Structures are given as structure tokens and as C-alpha cells.
Amino acid sequence: HVQLVESGGGSVQTGGSLNLSCVVSGWPYTSACMAWFRQAPGKEREGVASISSDGIETYADSVKGRFTISKDNAKKTVYLQMNSLKPEDTAMYICAAQHTWDGAACQGRVEYNYWGQGTQVTVS
């Protein structure tokens, strides 16, 4: 079965950086949208970044210019490099995946059915 396992979270000071990883196992498809979401206590889950099979990246306005999503297909891993972190970035960061039939941009058109457990990011 499909599993997504995140790592790389932690506690950093404002302005610091973290690099999150999401390893995917058991994936039976040849193409997919991969995404990072986050959820802070008392707030709704929000999409942070996504990357399509063709490598098209999309970002939430709040993280543009600070976060970068990337993937290594050979390692079946998706990354989220987070720079210039702010206290408002504090949240549980969750990796998601969904099979797609094409490599078009993922944002706004994909309903994710596979989720990881998340990794906590705290910025103070």
C-alpha cells in the first residue's frame, strides 16, 4: 500500500531554514502530483506548494520566494526547502500525493487521496 513519510521538521529561529523530505513507497502509478500542506492549531489546512509530473511548481502567495518544492524521482522523495522562516510558518507540514494522467500544474485541480502523518515546524 502507499505510504508517505515526512521528516526534517524542527524548531528554528525567525529567518532560519529547514528542508523537509517526504519519501513515498508503494506508489503504483507512473505520474503524480505531489504537494505540501500545512495546518496550524485552530486553523484550516492550507496548500503550501505542489509539483506536477512534468515538474511544474506552484506556491501559495504566503511562501513565494521563500519556499522551494522539488523532487527526486529515483529516490521517490519530495522536498520542501524553507528559507526566511517566520513565526506564522509554524504548523504541521503534511505531504500529499495523487495520481494524475498528465503533467500539467497541480494547483486547483487535484484532490489528494494519499497523505502522510506530518512533521512539525516551529518558528520562534
Side-chain angles (χ1 to χ4, degrees):
H1 64 286
V2 177
Q3 281 191 313
L4 285 70
V5 179
E6 303 94 334
S7 63
S11 296
V12 296
Q13 293 186 337
T14 299
S17 298
L18 285 172
N19 189 24
L20 307 184
S21 298
C22 172
V23 178
V24 183
S25 61
W27 189 255
Y29 308 109
T30 58
S31 64
C33 275
M34 302 295 301
W36 286 95
F37 288 78
R38 67 186 181 186
Q39 187 163 22
K43 294 186 178 181
E44 292 187 358
R45 186 175 60 198
E46 64 169 333
V48 174
S50 64
I51 186 165
S52 74
S53 292
D54 285 353
I56 299 172
E57 304 165 28
T58 55
Y59 298 93
D61 288 342
S62 58
V63 306
K64 281 181 181 177
R66 300 188 298 122
F67 290 10
T68 303
I69 189 170
S70 61
K71 61 178 179 172
D72 185 329
N73 290 330
K75 294 183 178 180
K76 298 183 180 180
T77 302
V78 179
Y79 304 96
L80 185 68
Q81 176 65 43
M82 306 187 296
N83 299 326
S84 302
L85 283 162
K86 305 175 181 179
E88 50 263 44
D89 295 319
T90 295
M92 181 71 74
Y93 283 72
I94 307 160
C95 179
Q98 182 58 35
H99 167 59
T100 56
W101 294 103
D102 58 48
C106 307
Q107 190 176 43
R109 70 178 185 105
V110 175
E111 181 177 344
Y112 293 89
N113 288 314
Y114 301 96
W115 297 85
Q117 293 298 310
T119 184
Q120 178 67 36
V121 171
T122 303
V123 186
S124 59

